[in-house]
Structure formats: C-alpha cells, structure tokens
Amino acid sequence: MSYRGLSLWHETTPTDWTPRPALAGDTEADVAIVGAGYTGLWTAYYLARAEPSLRIVMVESEVAGFGASGRNGGWCSALFPTSLGETQDAAMRASVDEVLAVAAAEGIDCHAAKGGTIVLARTPAQLARARAEYGDRVLSPADAGEHLRASGTLGATYTPDCAAIHPGRLVRGLADVVTRRGVRLYERTPATSIEPGLVRTPGGTVRARYVVRATEGFTPRLPGLARAVVPVYSLIIASEPLPPSVWDEIGLARRETFSDHRHLIIYGQRTADDRLVLGGRGAPYHLGSRIRPEFDRDHRVFAGLHATLLELFPVLAGARFTHAWGGPLGIPRDWCASVGLDRTTGLAWAGGYVGDGVSTTNLAGRTLCDLVLERDSELTDLPWVGHHSPRWEPEPLRWLGINAGLRAMTLADAEERVTGRPSLIGRVMAPLVGGHSA
C-alpha cells in the first residue's frame, strides 16, 4: 500500500510512511494500547511523560495516522458531539490550547493557526436556527464578511475556539515523539482480539495490566464490538494552491475554519499553502459496518462538494481540485463520546467522537493517563468519563435507519432552500445524523 496516496495530508507530510517493524513474538508491558491514531498516541504521550519507567506497547494495524487522525478536515476545535454542560465545554476549550502548546513544545510543525470558526447562515431557515441558538450574537452579513465572503450570506456565528491544522504532520509528529520517549510502537500489527490483560495479534500476544482500546471507526472489526459504534464515511476535496487575488475575494485571512448551518454537515479550512479544503457527509453507511478502501472515494459526493464550493465561492470556477479522499469515523448510538477504565478487568477505552476528535482525543489521552495512574483529578470527574452508550440495532435495521437519515437531511436542505422555512424532516431526523465531521 502507498500510504502517501491516502489523502492530501499523507502526501504533504514530510516524513517517512514506511511502517515500523511489526510485533514478532510475545511481549509484556504495563500498558498496551491498540490503535496509533490521536487517541492512542496522546495516551502514550501523557503516560510516558508522567511515568518514564512505564513499559508502554502500542499495536497498529497499518501505520500511525492511517485512519481518521490522518484524514480529517484539520479542525482542532472545542466541539463535542453531545451537550454535557459547562465543565465538559471548558475542558474542550482548554484542550484546543493544550494541543497547540504540546505541538510547539515538542517541535511538531502542524501548520496550526487559531483563527476560530465562522458558521454561515445562507437561507432564512439557517438564520432562524442560528438566532435560536446564539441570540443577539449572530453576526450581520457585513461582520461575517470580515471573516469569510460567501455568496448569499444572511448572517453567521463565530467562535475563537478552533485552530486549523495539518493532521498528518500532527499525528506523525506525535508518533515520533512517543517512540523517542521509549514507547514501543509496532505497525502493521492488527489486534485480532482484546481481552483482560491481553492483546492478541498475528505476530504474538501483548500481556499488560491495562489494555486501552483506541480504535474509533475500526472498532466493529474487533470480536464482541460489532455494534459498539458505526463507521460512517466523511469525504473531502482540496484545491490547488490559490493565488492571493482569489483569497482577497474569499477571506479567511486568519485561516478561520468554516461551515454553515445546513443539516448535512460541511466543514472547510484554508491550508498553510493556500489550498481550500472542504469536506462533508453524504456517503452511504455500508451494511454490516463494512470498511473497505474503495469506500474512501465516492465520486457523487465529491461532485456535490465541488458544486457546494462553486456555489459558496463563484471565484473558484476556474480552479483545479487536485485531491479527494475520505474515511470512516466512529459514531455511538447516543452520539456521546466517552472515555473510561474498568478497574476490574483493566480494560480502558476512548472514542465515539462523531468527527470531533482532533482535540477530544487529547482530552481523552490526558484523562486515560490519570485513570491508569489512579489519579483523582478534574479530568476524571468530567461527565463523559465512564459513560456507556447503548449498542446499535442489528442489521438491517441500522443500515436502513442511518441511510434514511442521510437521505432525509439532503431533502431537508433542499426543502429549506425552496421554502425558506425550517424543515420538519430535518428536526425529526437530526438525531440520526447529528454531530460534526472535521
């Protein structure tokens, strides 16, 4: 496999994607971590920093950053998929700054720019939703234009709590940092099962007091976890580097991330090399939670994203779009991300980020560190700690429900463009396709 071909981020990460050696034989550790995405790497980082003598072993089925951690839209935001109150919100805001602080301290150049997020309202129905949630904090079209100049803007909301990043640079930088700190990372080493005190792989077993599951959208591949989360695909396109004259018309001078208040989520950013990146939902959920390389690309969805960008920014009519990619993200049944540790079994987990994982994984890693080291802290008291989501319905019910929800949200946006009124379909179906995906 050519890992550089997975996404724009993989191609433009100045690092060697050659896999580290696989596990060959049985080994022992204090902590075993399954999955070398952001969750696993942040957990390893904070544990190794807090207790350098800990024996930490990570196993990864492909290479660090293969999954959502290397393919996302590059939003390091304070978004959390479910409202759990101010303490959770405050922890998320702090996590954005923590990611940036660690990257700076460890010399990881992840092209970070904390420009915040501008979310446009471009129909009367979108404007009504924005006003219902934000009240008099909704920006006028002129004030919105100070951040982003898109066609048909009626208003917008803004938060400073988001940074645009290069996801590949961050995840590969973290992998290098943890291995320098003594963490043993075995790539091309898929876990075939996770059990109390034991991780089984084709090349050998890892015995450890604590086993951390950090597998996000790939979790259904593990025995007994087929209905824990569903892998839903989010797809992304990226333009060629655009000239200053185009950016003068679009805006995003501080590299703000952007979206709008439609039902079917879109998310975008301006990269450090002046590309425009846009991602969104619309790809189908595949029966039986299947994950296959061919699902990473859906030309119908890519065409829809391209049409959306041309509608938002007509100045892009002559621009080339050079990259298109996608991948699965993990969605729990109640849309609530969680982190926890069962002290009886030593099994720990974190995930279900619904696409809001870039900073949430950092919060998870710090929380898992405290849980493993038996530290009572503000983090271990957060409301998402120890939460257990219900299982998804068996097939074909979840296939029917999820795909009906995705189709309904597309229809809801079309309805609102025609009528100018909030869609009843959108309100009813929102719980099936909620969350962000950046």
Side-chain angles (χ1 to χ4, degrees):
M1 173 179 292
S2 173
Y3 293 112
R4 285 197 177 277
L6 288 173
S7 73
L8 166 70
W9 312 125
H10 288 79
E11 181 181 306
T12 58
T13 296
T15 189
D16 185 5
W17 287 91
T18 302
R20 294 171 173 86
L23 179 65
D26 299 341
T27 191
E28 294 188 357
D30 299 305
V31 182
I33 300 172
V34 179
Y38 289 144
T39 299
L41 291 168
W42 282 125
T43 303
Y45 174 77
Y46 287 105
L47 283 170
R49 194 173 76 173
E51 295 286 348
S53 63
L54 277 179
R55 299 171 300 164
I56 304 169
V57 168
M58 303 184 72
V59 296
E60 161 60 44
S61 62
E62 294 288 348
V63 294
F66 171 81
S69 296
R71 307 191 209 183
N72 60 77
W75 285 33
C76 182
S77 79
L79 292 168
F80 192 81
T82 303
S83 178
L84 293 180
E86 175 54 30
T87 57
Q88 188 78 33
D89 292 344
M92 287 299 304
R93 290 192 295 272
S95 295
V96 175
D97 292 331
E98 174 71 6
V99 170
L100 302 185
V102 171
E106 298 290 353
I108 301 172
D109 180 10
C110 60
H111 292 175
K114 193 181 179 185
T117 299
I118 180 81
V119 184
L120 304 174
R122 300 179 60 251
T123 68
Q126 290 181 20
L127 185 61
R129 279 196 294 278
R131 285 174 172 163
E133 185 174 356
Y134 291 90
D136 59 7
R137 290 177 292 154
V138 173
L139 303 179
S140 68
D143 288 339
E146 294 297 314
H147 298 280
L148 178 63
R149 292 177 285 281
S151 65
T153 298
L154 303 179
T157 56
Y158 175 79
T159 173
D161 299 311
C162 187
I165 67 160
H166 186 303
R169 283 173 164 261
L170 177 59
V171 71
R172 295 302 287 185
L174 283 172
D176 291 341
V177 167
V178 300
T179 53
R180 287 199 301 267
R181 287 182 175 267
V183 174
R184 287 181 285 157
L185 171 54
Y186 297 102
E187 296 180 313
R188 299 300 292 268
T189 303
T192 55
S193 71
I194 295 175
E195 305 164 28
L198 186 67
V199 178
R200 299 185 188 275
T201 82
T205 60
V206 183
R207 296 189 179 276
R209 169 67 182 93
Y210 296 106
V211 175
V212 178
R213 172 170 55 82
T215 48
E216 192 51 1
F218 295 88
T219 299
R221 289 180 166 179
L222 291 167
L225 296 171
R227 292 163 57 190
V229 298
V230 292
V232 171
Y233 278 75
S234 202
L235 305 187
I236 304 176
I237 61 173
S239 75
E240 64 185 341
L242 302 172
S245 59
V246 172
W247 286 113
D248 287 343
E249 293 198 38
I250 293 174
L252 303 180
R254 292 186 292 152
R255 289 186 55 209
E256 296 94 331
T257 57
F258 69 92
S259 182
D260 66 17
H261 285 277
R262 72 182 66 198
H263 292 286
L264 200 64
I265 300 296
I266 62 168
Y267 50 94
Q269 71 144 295
R270 176 181 181 174
T271 67
D273 63 346
D274 286 332
R275 299 174 187 268
L276 190 59
V277 170
L278 185 76
R281 300 282 180 85
Y285 162 74
H286 300 279
L287 186 71
S289 295
R290 287 177 298 163
I291 299 172
R292 293 180 180 173
E294 57 265 34
F295 299 160
D296 294 347
R297 288 166 169 76
D298 185 314
H299 294 290
R300 176 185 59 84
V301 176
F302 292 147
L305 291 171
H306 184 250
T308 296
L309 274 178
L310 294 183
E311 179 192 359
L312 287 166
F313 312 114
V315 69
L316 294 176
R320 289 190 312 121
F321 283 78
T322 55
H323 295 78
W325 71 94
L329 53 92
I331 300 182
R333 184 62 182 87
D334 59 0
W335 309 98
C336 186
S338 63
V339 59
L341 168 62
D342 182 338
R343 297 208 175 278
T344 303
T345 63
L347 295 176
W349 78 93
Y353 306 117
V354 195
D356 295 331
V358 177
S359 54
T360 318
T361 51
N362 175 273
L363 181 60
R366 287 183 287 134
T367 305
L368 285 168
C369 175
D370 284 352
L371 290 170
V372 168
L373 298 180
E374 299 186 12
R375 296 172 170 174
D376 291 327
S377 69
E378 292 180 356
L379 298 182
T380 60
D381 287 336
L382 289 172
W384 74 320
V385 177
H387 174 78
H388 291 276
S389 299
R391 294 195 303 166
W392 279 90
E393 289 80 3
E395 296 289 23
L397 295 179
R398 67 177 182 269
W399 180 85
L400 290 167
I402 294 168
N403 286 320
L406 290 169
R407 179 62 61 87
M409 290 314 217
T410 302
L411 295 174
D413 286 324
E415 175 192 346
E416 290 183 353
R417 284 194 296 271
V418 172
T419 67
R421 297 189 300 273
S423 168
L424 177 62
I425 295 173
R427 288 200 301 271
V428 171
M429 298 302 290
L432 282 174
V433 290
H436 304 268
S437 184

